[in-house]
Amino acid sequence: MHPPARSIFPSDSRRLQGLAFALAGAVAFSGKAILAKLMYRTGADAFAVIGLRMAMALPLFLVIAWWTGRSGQGAAPRVPLSRRERWQIAGLGFCGYYLASTFDFLGLQYISAALERAILYLNPAIVLLLSALWFRQRVSVAQVVAMALAYAGVMLVWGHDLDVAHMAAASAGGVSPGHAVAIGSVLVFLSATAYALYLIGSGRLVARVGSARLIGLASSVACVVTLVQWAVVWLGSGGAMGSLQGLPLEVYTMSLLNATACTVLPMWFVMRGVALLGASTASQIGMVGPLSTIWMASIWLNEPISTRLLAGTAVVVVAVLMLGRLGGTARKA
């Protein structure tokens, strides 16, 4: 006797929910760059923008860390942390969230949101390269080809940014357009490298502590370090950098949106997507991130869309998908 047709609905519903969560997470993460550049146009600098973001996100991350530790969510429920693990989490938070976020927001002052997103999606290639150098991990010919494609795609997008560099130079503190693209690209590449180090170092802790708890703890560390940095920069510059004086109300509104809808909620969306679909499928859906950034930047920032930009972004997406199928590691946006 055949089972009733409706018995397939729960699995279909689960898949649709997973697709929705993964897609929402990818698009929401991409909005971070758009909001940051909109705030730069009001006169806010990178230290003020990232400081406000982390200040508003900190209470939410603390709640996540407390709740997941108390309720025993994750691979190892209610596991106590050793002193060594606490230091490891602090180091991961410093590298993977503080350094990655700081370099990213500094770089966004100089380059387009589309180039920023393309460079960040080099992360799997960076993880593979670092693993080969440090752990003598074998790299196949196909992986080398995929990495080469990824970098070639970024170079295409980089060329597009050079053509429209005058748009970024206005918020680059007097730096010439060509130098602005170079400086911004290096800073965002450092951001991608910092997060790659986080991914490499977090494997065992994720298995023991659980991904949600680790994110809550490490992100809380990053928030605190960022707030200390904000205070030091503001005091050290005599209020010239990191100042909130004279900024319009929309900066605070956009910061709240950045901290919630583009930082904390997307993390939860992506984790739910992974839980419902599996890491491989969820990461492939995340490839919509660069494309959503292009269109949002065009709508909200008036950044031009060119054939070179679309081609370069497509090459990066294909290369990252190849790396994922070949055993690479996908990036959080």
Side-chain angles (χ1 to χ4, degrees):
M1 184 176 181
H2 294 290
R6 64 183 179 185
S7 65
I8 67 170
F9 287 172
S11 60
D12 287 348
S13 175
R14 180 184 177 87
R15 182 171 179 82
L16 286 174
Q17 288 180 40
L19 290 170
F21 279 123
L23 183 62
V27 174
F29 270 131
S30 301
K32 170 204 64 178
I34 309 301
L35 288 170
K37 293 189 77 69
L38 286 172
M39 285 186 272
Y40 292 155
R41 292 182 178 183
T42 69
D45 63 20
F47 295 106
V49 169
I50 191 174
L52 284 171
R53 177 204 190 200
M54 293 302 211
M56 294 180 179
L58 177 57
L60 299 176
F61 284 128
L62 288 174
V63 169
I64 291 173
W66 170 78
W67 178 255
T68 52
R70 175 179 178 273
S71 59
Q73 297 177 14
R78 296 176 184 165
V79 61
L81 297 175
S82 67
R83 179 180 297 181
R84 180 181 179 182
E85 287 171 335
R86 291 171 184 169
W87 279 110
Q88 287 177 329
I89 290 173
L92 290 172
F94 180 85
C95 182
Y97 291 105
Y98 162 70
L99 284 182
S101 296
T102 300
F103 284 137
D104 186 29
F105 277 77
L106 288 171
L108 274 168
Q109 295 179 114
Y110 301 95
I111 60 176
S112 70
L115 178 56
E116 179 253 9
R117 184 58 33 177
I119 294 174
L120 291 181
Y121 268 76
L122 286 176
N123 186 267
I126 298 172
V127 169
L128 184 61
L129 186 59
L130 292 177
S131 297
L133 292 174
W134 285 355
F135 306 117
R136 303 295 186 222
Q137 178 178 313
R138 185 177 177 274
V139 179
S140 68
V141 174
Q143 287 174 320
V144 172
V145 171
M147 283 194 292
L149 274 177
Y151 285 102
V154 168
M155 291 308 297
L156 281 173
V157 182
W158 198 76
H160 162 84
D161 250 47
L162 283 178
D163 292 339
V164 298
H166 60 281
M167 297 183 65
S171 61
V175 179
S176 66
H179 285 112
V181 175
I183 293 170
S185 299
V186 170
L187 287 168
V188 176
F189 185 81
L190 289 174
S191 170
T193 303
Y195 194 75
L197 292 172
Y198 165 82
L199 287 177
I200 292 173
S202 63
R204 292 183 180 179
L205 276 177
V206 168
R208 174 171 163 78
V209 178
S211 59
R213 188 181 180 194
L214 180 59
I215 287 173
L217 291 170
S219 298
S220 296
V221 170
C223 289
V224 172
V225 176
T226 301
L227 295 178
V228 172
Q229 170 190 260
W230 189 14
V232 170
V233 167
W234 183 78
L235 291 171
S237 66
M241 293 189 294
S243 176
L244 301 178
Q245 187 174 1
L247 295 181
L249 179 62
E250 58 257 34
V251 168
Y252 299 93
T253 304
M254 287 189 286
S255 294
L256 181 60
L257 190 62
N258 201 358
T260 54
C262 298
T263 302
V264 179
L265 280 179
M267 290 182 179
W268 184 79
F269 287 156
V270 170
M271 285 190 295
R272 286 294 299 155
V274 169
L276 293 169
L277 297 173
S280 177
T281 302
S283 66
Q284 289 182 36
I285 295 171
M287 293 299 103
V288 76
L291 298 176
S292 65
T293 300
I294 290 174
W295 295 114
M296 286 192 291
S298 175
I299 294 170
W300 297 103
L301 303 174
N302 294 318
E303 291 185 1
I305 298 176
S306 68
T307 302
R308 185 185 300 181
L309 171 62
L310 293 175
T313 302
V315 170
V316 171
V317 169
V318 170
V320 172
L321 286 173
M322 287 176 60
L323 285 172
R325 291 181 179 276
L326 293 168
T329 304
R331 169 185 173 96
K332 161 190 99 65

